[in-house]
Amino acid sequence: MAADEWAEWLAKRRFGGDPEVRRRFSEQLARVRDAVLDNAELAGGETLLDVGCGEGLIGFGALDRGASQVIFSDISHELLELCEEAASDLGVSDRCRFVRAVADDLAAIDAESVDIVTTRSVLIYVDDKESAFGEFVRVLRPGGRISVFEPINRFAQRTDDFWAGYDLSNVREISKKIRAVYDAIQPPDGDPMLDFDERDLLDLAELAGLFPIHLRLEAEVVPSEAESWEGFVNRAGNPRIPTLAEAMTQALTSDEADRLIRHLRPLVEEGKGTWRMAVAYLWASKPQPPAGSAT
């Protein structure tokens, strides 16, 4: 079976074939996993629902910490199969369940059946984030918790003069053609990756009835790390968009592509850019019903 766009991106396209980028990603993801599970305050014997599980980073981390059951949920059939195989190899299949579902429709999960709901870079792909939070609360038992990690992509610079933090003002007309490829796929005024920030996450959690709510924002503006040109140009920022190499082929003449490469490649290989990134960790609880109230 051919890889779907989610599995293909997680396995290859987000790294651009660069082993150093893969290594850095793996280190970053391990820190995210630990923070999400720390914030969830997972206790031994609890059931965790990992929404948008991907390759199972959060779910398998929860099993290592003593979860009695993890429900791996994703829209990708191939990624769920990958998690099933990993669970079998690890000898934990009896503590796992695998459900194909989208974040804003978890009908396959019973109401009040899990102790913890987690996400990692999932809500950025969801148009109806309010419904997603509603589903998280529905499946949680009273006293259950959510713990989410989401990039705040509004923080990044999105102008024709910059690409991934590199100054393209000297090739602005070429840059506009590249930007148009991506904007046609993910229009800035309607892209779920850009339609929220950390304040919206707080509002959504409160609207869903969660309390208390905690949020930690981490933001940085730092020098770009030098990297290989091949890794940079063959990396896709998310499963729905082309790599820069693919966008150049689609939008530029050979002369324009050569001019862009001559300008951008030295900046990338020497790390002469500015990296801007913000991420939010949110964790919150589903209140217990008042004592003596009907259940």
Side-chain angles (χ1 to χ4, degrees), residues 10 50 52-60 63 70-74 76-90 92-93 96-99:
L10 284 172
D50 186 11
C53 63
E55 296 171 317
L57 178 79
I58 305 296
F60 288 115
L63 291 169
V70 168
I71 303 171
F72 295 82
S73 169
D74 205 281
S76 166
H77 178 72
E78 181 164 339
L79 289 172
L80 288 173
E81 285 189 339
L82 183 68
C83 289
E84 285 194 67
E85 292 172 4
S88 178
D89 291 342
L90 293 168
V92 294
S93 296
C96 300
R97 180 183 168 196
F98 305 92
V99 175

Side-chain angles (χ1 to χ4, degrees), residues 243-256:
T243 66
L244 180 56
E246 291 165 343
M248 290 166 59
T249 298
Q250 177 180 336
L252 304 182
T253 67
S254 59
D255 287 344
E256 289 171 332

Side-chain angles (χ1 to χ4, degrees), residues 167-178:
D167 186 355
L168 299 186
S169 57
N170 288 342
V171 288
R172 182 176 295 130
E173 293 306 311
I174 295 174
S175 174
K176 285 182 178 180
K177 293 184 177 182
I178 293 293

